[in-house]
Amino acid sequence: MNSAKVQRPHYLPAALIGGFGIPDARQSGARYASVLMRRRDEPGKLRGPIRADQVAVQNGLYDVDEPYEELPADFAETLWQRYETALPGAVQALEAGTFSRADWHIILLHIQAQSVRSPDFDRVATAYLIRQHGTTPLRDHIQRERQRTHQESRRFLAQARYAVIRRAAPAQRFVLNDKGYTGFQDPIRATRGLLFPLSGNLAVLMALDTALPGEDYEDGPIAERTLNPASMAIANACSWGHSNIKCVIGHPDEAEEIAALSDTGDAISLPKLGPFRGTREPGLLDWAL
């Protein structure tokens, strides 16, 4: 049984973060790219440019105090290693429109992992376990819940439909919060969605509970849309305003836009002609219905 603890674990893949920044001409690999960061606890200050592998790190986040066969010490790192190395290539293929089924499976593994990878999962799991058992859980109980939730979230993914969401100039680039996603709700159509930014130019939008009988979510996204500039600004504001995040990460050339991000509140108003270029769909999730 592996008893080693991973030093300085990332709760967002460093190579993913790098896709939102400027590549380093001296070192290959997205983890060495330079990004800009704005923290919720210091909203008036921008940090950076900072190297991607120096962001979204928290010591001890996935530590197991008493490992056993079902919960080894490296359980979390083993999960992340299933997709991290291949993630930059899969994102590039999705952006280029040349992705394969295998590339899409890597994207799905990333989406699955972000449901439990954030430090905020500990808060949510603690509250849940207290409700279930009436006592404050030990750290290993939280890690077991992290492991169980990751396993069960695949069913959650299978009940959704997916779209590739693109950015085109002059719209802002996507920003990334430290949870790796942001949520939307359309009360008129009774639909909910999660947006997973994958680079400054690309995201995947997940429409929850919209899958039709017989559909296979592993086949790939069913639609492709390009956000117009006004809706891109709204999406980035929602990333900044997402509950219990620590920061947003973006391109150093867009310092002014990142500094100007503000909370949207509970309700947002999309442009009258809709959120996407070239369509008149009034909502963000109409393509899934």
Side-chain angles (χ1 to χ4, degrees):
M1 184 186 305
N2 191 337
S3 60
K5 293 182 179 180
V6 176
Q7 299 297 316
R8 291 178 55 78
H10 286 83
Y11 52 90
L12 281 172
L16 175 78
I17 295 171
F20 293 81
I22 301 173
D24 189 324
R26 299 166 298 176
Q27 300 184 85
S28 62
R31 66 184 299 111
Y32 302 113
S34 297
V35 297
L36 205 64
M37 180 173 63
R38 182 184 177 199
R39 295 181 58 91
R40 290 292 310 193
D41 60 359
E42 296 179 313
K45 179 181 178 181
L46 296 179
R47 296 189 179 189
I50 184 173
R51 215 168 72 174
D53 63 355
Q54 301 299 311
V55 180
V57 175
Q58 182 171 314
N59 290 333
L61 180 56
Y62 310 120
D63 282 0
V64 177
D65 295 321
E66 297 183 10
Y68 57 100
E69 185 175 357
E70 287 77 21
L71 187 69
D74 62 349
F75 85 97
E77 189 65 18
T78 299
L79 293 175
W80 317 153
Q81 287 176 352
R82 292 171 60 194
Y83 71 92
E84 276 198 354
T85 300
L87 184 60
V91 171
Q92 290 173 7
L94 194 64
E95 186 168 340
T98 59
F99 68 96
S100 64
R101 185 180 174 92
D103 292 322
W104 179 243
H105 288 183
I106 294 297
I107 301 296
L108 290 175
L109 287 173
H110 165 67
I111 291 173
Q112 181 182 7
Q114 286 309 134
S115 66
V116 301
R117 197 161 175 171
S118 166
D120 192 52
F121 180 85
D122 292 32
R123 176 188 63 83
V124 176
T126 297
Y128 169 77
L129 292 171
I130 288 174
R131 289 195 304 269
Q132 292 294 108
H133 305 291
T135 58
T136 301
L138 300 175
R139 177 159 61 176
D140 285 5
H141 296 153
I142 294 172
Q143 304 298 26
R144 182 69 183 93
E145 186 65 20
R146 178 175 265 117
Q147 184 186 59
R148 184 191 65 80
T149 301
H150 181 269
Q151 293 167 350
E152 294 183 354
S153 64
R154 202 71 183 188
R155 293 202 302 269
F156 176 70
L157 269 64
Q159 295 167 358
R161 306 180 96 185
Y162 302 83
V164 173
I165 306 298
R166 298 186 181 276
R167 169 256 181 188
Q172 303 172 19
R173 296 176 178 88
F174 285 104
V175 299
L176 177 71
N177 67 36
D178 63 287
K179 283 193 174 184
Y181 62 89
T182 191
F184 303 94
Q185 183 169 352
D186 187 336
I188 296 175
R189 296 165 185 80
T191 53
R192 296 177 299 135
L194 296 174
L195 183 75
F196 292 84
L198 299 175
S199 74
N201 295 316
L202 187 77
V204 165
L205 183 55
M206 178 181 180
L208 307 181
D209 299 318
T210 58
L212 300 178
E215 283 188 334
D216 184 355
Y217 71 108
E218 294 187 343
D219 285 344
I222 67 163
E224 182 173 313
R225 298 289 186 272
T226 300
L227 283 171
N228 57 41
S231 297
M232 177 63 84
I234 291 171
N236 283 345
C238 289
S239 289
W240 169 253
H242 194 90
S243 62
N244 295 297
I245 68 159
K246 295 183 177 181
C247 68
V248 294
I249 301 154
H251 197 282
D253 289 349
E254 297 192 343
E256 183 176 345
E257 291 85 350
I258 294 170
L261 291 174
S262 60
D263 294 339
T264 60
D266 293 334
I268 58 174
S269 296
L270 295 173
K272 291 182 178 180
L273 296 181
F276 302 119
R277 294 176 57 178
T279 78
R280 292 297 183 94
E281 295 168 343
L284 283 165
L285 302 170
D286 288 49
W287 53 269
L289 304 177

